[in-house]
Amino acid sequence: MSPVTPNFNLAAILPEILLLVAACIVLIVDVARQKRLPDGDVNGSASLSDNSIWRVDRLALMAMVPAFIALLLLFGTPTQYAFSRMVVVDDLATLLKICAFLATAASLTYARQYVRDREMFKGEFYSLSLFALLGQMIMMSASNMLVVYLGLELMSLSLYALAALRRDHAQSTEAAMKYFVLGALASGFLLYGMSMIYGGAGTLDLNMISQKLASGAANRTVFVFGVVFLVAGLAFKLGAVPFHMWVPDVYQGTPTAATLLIAGAPKLAAFAIVFRLLSEGLIGVARDWQQMLMVLSVLSLVMGNLVAISQTNLKRMLAYSTIAQIGFVLLGLLSGVVGGNTNSAPDAYSASMFYMITYVLTTLGTFGIIQMLARAGFESEDIHDLRGVGKRAPWLGFVMIVLMFSLAGIPPTVGFYAKLMVLQATITAGHVWLAVLAVMASLVGAFYYLRVIKVMFFDEPIDTAPIRPAADARALIGLNAALVLGLGLMPGPLMTACFQAIKQALGT
């Protein structure tokens, strides 16, 4: 009997290969650059005035271009498998990767001045950001539980290091320790759940697990126990209540540049693994994990919005806002299977996917403005620090209005349409009471979003320092606001792309 030749199909993972090369190039070039810096300039601040293309921030963005082009070429192609079906490349993975690329590039652009003022302008910051993106891409294309865990750990370890990059800052170090300890605990839950599912099915391949569940060949009792640990681990990564305790402390304690890298693109990867594990691999026990997601969704919507009201720190308020927004994402995920029927699954899951993408878009702009308002020795993290910003910088004030309206779900922003689609899917699934609860929670959430606008435009300024963001960051924040408005007025193309990607992934 001849040995089976493994199917590597390196062409399918060309974007990942190019991104890995890019991250290594950034790290190596930065080491060479450090040797040419003046004595005492260990952070490379002097090189910021250099217009050379070898400046590390510009190099990181340029190094991402080849991988991004490879992704665009893959979008719309038939589903491909690599490494003996351990990796899948479909439109779902490719669309999420494109969004993650854009989110990471925007995060690095917003962060340039911020990291310079805090002596974080280092090659490590940019190479770790790229390695975190690589981990996210692996998670999005995982068709095997081992690959899910490999991508998760690559992303998580990179983000832990980013959170702790400002080593001389006590609050940042404390937040990084909390993030690491609780993240390790979540990974343990996830790994233990995977091991139990492997014991029940005898395989780690998600397609084979789904087939064994459908045929009744798997041990259902072991599966249910495994699903409990799996959902708990996923809830940690999403930041859903009651596994949310790390989110407020990490958002507040880490430097804002790192906070955005944690709050933005990783949410897309988290959605991807939730969908891959539950909706593709474990669809046969949907009744069990849907009940768990329902509890997580209700708790997240209620607690996230209620606790956010009492927050005075803007980043901490946005952390609880994130928890509430995750509740909406879970609403879509739990509405896909109704009485064992999956006919409405593409509509529900695509609504959830659309919601997550647009939420990340809004988060980019919000944390981008926080970084623009900050300066050396001043973080601009407290809500009262925003007093009079609408008068001092009308353009940033207008953008913040658009972003807060979107988070609150006020038309004509994209947040309104995203909430509407999720609520429609929830009602279609027969969970009318859940939809009513979500609407009531959103009304509560509108209070703290509108409070930010009130402070910016109706309170007297307490700071007269000029606000002069860099030209590229200023242009990007304008584009960010335009997309939030544009997708609210014309959501069709993105919604269609999400729907088709989900249909292709489900094989329907």
Side-chain angles (χ1 to χ4, degrees):
M1 184 176 179
S2 59
V4 177
T5 304
N7 176 24
F8 292 112
N9 190 14
L10 294 179
I13 61 165
L14 181 61
E16 285 83 350
I17 294 173
L18 293 174
L19 184 61
L20 174 62
V21 172
C24 294
I25 288 174
V26 169
L27 201 56
I28 293 170
V29 170
D30 183 66
V31 172
R33 184 181 64 91
Q34 293 285 351
K35 295 180 179 179
R36 297 186 285 107
L37 292 175
D39 292 340
D41 188 20
V42 294
N43 295 301
S45 298
S47 67
L48 281 169
S49 59
D50 180 14
N51 290 323
S52 169
I53 62 170
W54 301 110
R55 209 174 79 179
V56 64
D57 55 330
R58 294 175 179 172
L59 179 63
L61 292 174
M62 289 190 297
M64 294 170 66
V65 172
F68 184 70
I69 293 174
L71 276 177
L72 293 178
L73 294 176
L74 281 174
F75 187 67
T77 60
T79 302
Q80 301 182 55
Y81 290 91
F83 291 90
S84 301
R85 300 183 71 87
M86 295 179 73
V87 174
V88 59
V89 179
D90 53 14
D91 280 355
L92 173 74
T94 307
L95 178 59
L96 288 174
K97 288 176 188 178
I98 290 172
C99 294
F101 253 83
L102 295 174
T104 302
S107 301
L108 296 181
T109 303
Y110 288 138
R112 182 180 295 126
Q113 186 63 39
Y114 184 92
V115 297
R116 174 189 180 183
D117 292 340
R118 282 145 193 83
E119 298 185 346
M120 293 169 57
F121 189 77
K122 307 173 183 178
E124 301 96 292
F125 176 81
Y126 293 94
S127 58
L128 285 170
S129 301
L130 298 186
F131 278 121
L133 177 59
L134 178 61
Q136 294 158 26
M137 294 174 67
I138 293 172
M139 292 164 66
M140 292 167 183
S141 284
S143 186
N144 185 289
M145 288 191 177
L146 279 180
V147 180
V148 169
Y149 194 74
L150 176 67
L152 178 65
E153 289 306 294
L154 177 57
M155 179 192 76
S156 298
L157 291 172
S158 301
L159 293 178
Y160 299 154
L162 280 169
L165 200 57
R166 199 175 177 188
R167 292 172 294 180
D168 59 341
H169 194 263
Q171 192 179 24
S172 176
T173 305
E174 179 186 353
M177 283 297 296
K178 290 179 181 177
Y179 190 24
F180 172 72
V181 172
L182 293 175
L185 180 64
S187 297
F189 272 112
L190 205 59
L191 197 59
Y192 190 66
M194 289 177 179
S195 68
M196 294 192 74
I197 290 172
Y198 175 72
T203 179
L204 292 170
D205 185 272
L206 296 178
N207 291 324
M208 293 184 66
I209 290 172
S210 178
Q211 292 171 13
K212 291 202 172 188
L213 274 173
S215 64
N219 188 324
R220 190 177 181 88
T221 304
V222 176
F223 256 85
V224 172
F225 278 104
V227 167
V228 171
F229 285 98
L230 203 65
V231 171
L234 294 173
F236 261 109
K237 297 302 179 182
L238 285 170
V241 178
F243 306 100
H244 68 290
M245 63 285 295
W246 64 273
V247 180
D249 292 336
V250 171
Y251 274 41
Q252 181 181 356
T254 56
T256 307
T259 304
L260 181 51
L261 289 167
I262 294 169
K267 290 293 186 289
L268 301 172
F271 171 84
I273 61 170
V274 171
F275 176 81
R276 297 287 190 198
L277 291 173
L278 300 183
S279 304
E280 288 188 3
L282 301 173
I283 196 73
V285 288
R287 181 175 299 176
D288 299 295
W289 55 257
Q290 280 179 320
Q291 294 175 1
M292 302 177 205
L293 294 188
M294 187 177 297
V295 174
L296 294 173
S297 176
V298 170
L299 292 176
S300 299
L301 284 167
V302 174
M303 185 172 179
N305 282 306
L306 289 179
V307 179
I309 292 175
S310 62
Q311 303 305 311
T312 58
N313 182 280
L314 182 58
K315 287 167 66 177
R316 199 172 184 87
M317 186 205 81
L318 291 172
Y320 282 104
S321 164
T322 296
I323 294 168
Q325 304 288 349
I326 290 299
F328 262 97
V329 174
L330 295 177
L331 281 182
L333 289 170
L334 65 87
S335 303
V337 182
V338 183
N341 191 319
T342 60
N343 290 338
S344 60
D347 290 312
Y349 297 150
S350 60
S352 186
M353 181 178 174
F354 180 86
Y355 194 103
M356 186 64 89
I357 291 174
T358 54
Y359 164 70
V360 170
L361 175 65
T362 310
T363 298
L364 290 172
T366 307
F367 281 96
I369 288 181
I370 294 175
Q371 292 180 77
M372 291 181 190
L373 297 178
R375 58 183 185 274
F378 179 69
E379 287 293 331
S380 187
E381 290 183 358
D382 197 276
I383 293 177
H384 295 295
D385 294 333
L386 302 179
R387 289 179 180 175
V389 168
K391 301 173 184 176
R392 293 165 54 206
W395 173 242
L396 293 183
F398 169 75
V399 171
M400 187 63 100
I401 289 177
V402 173
L403 298 174
M404 291 296 105
F405 275 18
S406 183
L407 288 172
I410 298 174
T413 59
V414 70
F416 169 76
Y417 184 80
K419 282 181 168 60
L420 181 64
M421 294 303 296
V422 169
L423 291 173
Q424 183 178 2
T426 306
I427 293 172
T428 302
H431 306 305
V432 178
W433 70 274
L434 267 178
V436 173
L437 177 68
V439 171
M440 294 176 63
S442 295
L443 291 175
V444 173
F447 169 78
Y448 57 83
Y449 293 126
L450 295 178
R451 181 178 60 180
V452 173
I453 298 174
K454 176 259 181 188
V455 170
M456 293 182 71
F457 283 89
F458 296 99
D459 288 6
E460 289 301 317
I462 59 173
D463 188 1
T464 58
I467 302 173
R468 297 194 184 98
D472 54 353
R474 185 181 176 87
L476 184 59
I477 200 70
L479 177 61
N480 206 316
L483 286 173
V484 169
L485 279 174
L487 288 172
L489 296 171
M490 295 182 293
L494 180 58
M495 191 67 213
T496 301
C498 292
F499 181 78
Q500 295 299 331
I502 293 291
K503 283 192 67 175
Q504 184 185 25
L506 293 175
T508 58

Short mmCIF file of all heavy atoms in Angstrom, two decimals, residues 20 34 44 56 65 93 122 229 237 239 258 270 275 316 329 335 337 344 351 353 382 391 404 411 505:
data_model
loop_
_atom_site.label_atom_id
_atom_site.label_comp_id
_atom_site.label_asym_id
_atom_site.label_seq_id
_atom_site.Cartn_x
_atom_site.Cartn_y
_atom_site.Cartn_z
N LEU A 20 4.11 36.54 7.08
CA LEU A 20 5.18 36.05 7.95
C LEU A 20 6.52 36.63 7.53
O LEU A 20 7.30 37.10 8.37
CB LEU A 20 5.22 34.52 7.91
CG LEU A 20 6.37 33.85 8.67
CD1 LEU A 20 6.30 34.17 10.15
CD2 LEU A 20 6.36 32.35 8.44
N GLN A 34 18.55 50.32 14.39
CA GLN A 34 18.96 50.72 15.74
C GLN A 34 20.47 50.96 15.81
O GLN A 34 20.93 51.83 16.56
CB GLN A 34 18.58 49.62 16.74
CG GLN A 34 17.09 49.43 16.94
CD GLN A 34 16.46 50.52 17.77
OE1 GLN A 34 17.15 51.34 18.36
NE2 GLN A 34 15.13 50.55 17.80
N GLY A 44 14.37 55.20 18.91
CA GLY A 44 14.30 55.59 17.51
C GLY A 44 13.53 56.86 17.25
O GLY A 44 13.04 57.08 16.16
N VAL A 56 10.45 52.37 10.37
CA VAL A 56 9.79 51.11 10.71
C VAL A 56 8.28 51.17 10.55
O VAL A 56 7.65 50.19 10.11
CB VAL A 56 10.20 50.68 12.13
CG1 VAL A 56 9.69 51.68 13.17
CG2 VAL A 56 9.70 49.30 12.45
N VAL A 65 1.41 45.08 2.05
CA VAL A 65 0.75 45.23 0.75
C VAL A 65 0.75 43.93 -0.06
O VAL A 65 -0.30 43.54 -0.60
CB VAL A 65 1.37 46.40 -0.03
CG1 VAL A 65 0.83 46.44 -1.46
CG2 VAL A 65 1.09 47.71 0.68
N ALA A 93 -13.42 33.23 5.15
CA ALA A 93 -12.08 33.49 5.67
C ALA A 93 -11.44 34.69 4.98
O ALA A 93 -10.86 35.55 5.62
CB ALA A 93 -11.20 32.25 5.50
N LYS A 122 9.03 51.33 18.33
CA LYS A 122 10.02 50.26 18.23
C LYS A 122 9.58 49.24 17.18
O LYS A 122 8.39 49.10 16.89
CB LYS A 122 10.18 49.55 19.58
CG LYS A 122 10.46 50.46 20.76
CD LYS A 122 10.42 49.68 22.06
CE LYS A 122 10.64 50.59 23.27
NZ LYS A 122 10.56 49.84 24.54
N PHE A 229 -17.25 23.48 28.01
CA PHE A 229 -15.92 24.08 28.17
C PHE A 229 -15.54 24.91 26.94
O PHE A 229 -14.90 25.96 27.06
CB PHE A 229 -14.88 22.98 28.41
CG PHE A 229 -14.92 22.40 29.78
CD1 PHE A 229 -15.60 21.21 30.02
CD2 PHE A 229 -14.31 23.04 30.85
CE1 PHE A 229 -15.65 20.67 31.30
CE2 PHE A 229 -14.36 22.52 32.12
CZ PHE A 229 -15.04 21.33 32.36
N LYS A 237 -12.78 34.75 25.17
CA LYS A 237 -12.14 35.47 24.06
C LYS A 237 -13.02 36.59 23.51
O LYS A 237 -12.52 37.64 23.09
CB LYS A 237 -11.77 34.48 22.95
CG LYS A 237 -10.75 33.43 23.36
CD LYS A 237 -9.46 34.06 23.86
CE LYS A 237 -8.45 33.01 24.31
NZ LYS A 237 -7.20 33.64 24.84
N GLY A 239 -15.27 38.16 25.38
CA GLY A 239 -15.52 39.12 26.45
C GLY A 239 -16.98 39.18 26.84
O GLY A 239 -17.48 40.23 27.24
N ALA A 258 -2.14 49.91 21.88
CA ALA A 258 -2.28 48.46 22.07
C ALA A 258 -3.73 48.08 22.31
O ALA A 258 -4.19 47.02 21.87
CB ALA A 258 -1.40 48.00 23.23
N ALA A 270 -12.22 36.17 16.54
CA ALA A 270 -13.05 35.50 17.53
C ALA A 270 -14.37 35.06 16.92
O ALA A 270 -14.85 33.94 17.16
CB ALA A 270 -13.29 36.42 18.73
N PHE A 275 -17.84 30.71 14.78
CA PHE A 275 -18.61 30.18 13.66
C PHE A 275 -18.06 28.83 13.21
O PHE A 275 -18.83 27.88 13.00
CB PHE A 275 -18.57 31.17 12.48
CG PHE A 275 -19.27 30.65 11.25
CD1 PHE A 275 -20.65 30.73 11.14
CD2 PHE A 275 -18.54 30.09 10.21
CE1 PHE A 275 -21.30 30.25 10.01
CE2 PHE A 275 -19.18 29.59 9.09
CZ PHE A 275 -20.56 29.67 8.98
N ARG A 316 -12.74 52.62 29.67
CA ARG A 316 -13.48 51.63 30.45
C ARG A 316 -14.95 51.59 30.04
O ARG A 316 -15.57 50.51 29.98
CB ARG A 316 -13.34 51.95 31.93
CG ARG A 316 -13.66 50.80 32.86
CD ARG A 316 -13.31 51.12 34.31
NE ARG A 316 -13.54 49.96 35.15
CZ ARG A 316 -12.65 48.99 35.36
NH1 ARG A 316 -11.46 49.05 34.79
NH2 ARG A 316 -12.95 47.96 36.14
N VAL A 329 -24.03 40.33 18.81
CA VAL A 329 -23.43 39.35 17.91
C VAL A 329 -23.91 37.95 18.26
O VAL A 329 -24.23 37.13 17.38
CB VAL A 329 -21.89 39.44 17.99
CG1 VAL A 329 -21.24 38.32 17.16
CG2 VAL A 329 -21.40 40.80 17.50
N SER A 335 -29.53 32.30 16.58
CA SER A 335 -30.80 32.31 15.84
C SER A 335 -30.73 31.53 14.53
O SER A 335 -31.70 31.55 13.76
CB SER A 335 -31.24 33.75 15.56
OG SER A 335 -31.36 34.49 16.75
N VAL A 337 -30.33 28.16 13.90
CA VAL A 337 -30.98 26.84 13.85
C VAL A 337 -32.27 26.92 14.66
O VAL A 337 -32.25 27.25 15.84
CB VAL A 337 -30.07 25.74 14.41
CG1 VAL A 337 -30.75 24.38 14.30
CG2 VAL A 337 -28.73 25.72 13.68
N SER A 344 -32.80 29.15 7.97
CA SER A 344 -32.56 30.57 8.25
C SER A 344 -31.13 30.84 8.70
O SER A 344 -30.80 31.98 9.04
CB SER A 344 -33.53 31.06 9.33
OG SER A 344 -33.35 30.32 10.54
N ALA A 351 -26.00 38.21 9.35
CA ALA A 351 -26.33 39.42 10.13
C ALA A 351 -25.34 39.59 11.26
O ALA A 351 -24.87 40.71 11.55
CB ALA A 351 -27.75 39.32 10.66
N MET A 353 -22.25 38.40 11.34
CA MET A 353 -20.96 38.74 10.74
C MET A 353 -20.91 40.21 10.33
O MET A 353 -19.91 40.91 10.57
CB MET A 353 -20.72 37.83 9.53
CG MET A 353 -19.40 38.05 8.82
SD MET A 353 -19.24 36.89 7.44
CE MET A 353 -17.72 37.47 6.67
N ASP A 382 -10.27 60.22 30.35
CA ASP A 382 -11.46 60.50 31.13
C ASP A 382 -12.49 61.23 30.26
O ASP A 382 -12.12 62.03 29.40
CB ASP A 382 -11.11 61.34 32.36
CG ASP A 382 -12.21 61.31 33.40
OD1 ASP A 382 -13.17 62.10 33.27
OD2 ASP A 382 -12.11 60.49 34.31
N LYS A 391 -15.70 72.26 20.11
CA LYS A 391 -15.43 73.66 19.76
C LYS A 391 -13.98 73.85 19.35
O LYS A 391 -13.69 74.65 18.47
CB LYS A 391 -15.76 74.55 20.96
CG LYS A 391 -17.21 74.45 21.43
CD LYS A 391 -17.44 75.23 22.72
CE LYS A 391 -18.85 75.04 23.23
NZ LYS A 391 -19.08 75.72 24.53
N MET A 404 -20.49 57.68 17.78
CA MET A 404 -21.35 57.42 18.93
C MET A 404 -22.78 57.07 18.49
O MET A 404 -23.43 56.20 19.07
CB MET A 404 -21.38 58.64 19.86
CG MET A 404 -20.07 58.92 20.60
SD MET A 404 -19.58 57.63 21.76
CE MET A 404 -18.25 56.84 20.84
N PRO A 411 -30.12 55.89 13.32
CA PRO A 411 -29.98 56.09 11.87
C PRO A 411 -29.47 57.49 11.57
O PRO A 411 -29.65 58.40 12.40
CB PRO A 411 -31.42 55.88 11.35
CG PRO A 411 -32.29 56.14 12.54
CD PRO A 411 -31.50 55.74 13.75
N ALA A 505 -19.54 28.87 3.15
CA ALA A 505 -18.93 28.15 4.27
C ALA A 505 -19.83 27.02 4.76
O ALA A 505 -19.34 25.95 5.16
CB ALA A 505 -18.65 29.12 5.42
#
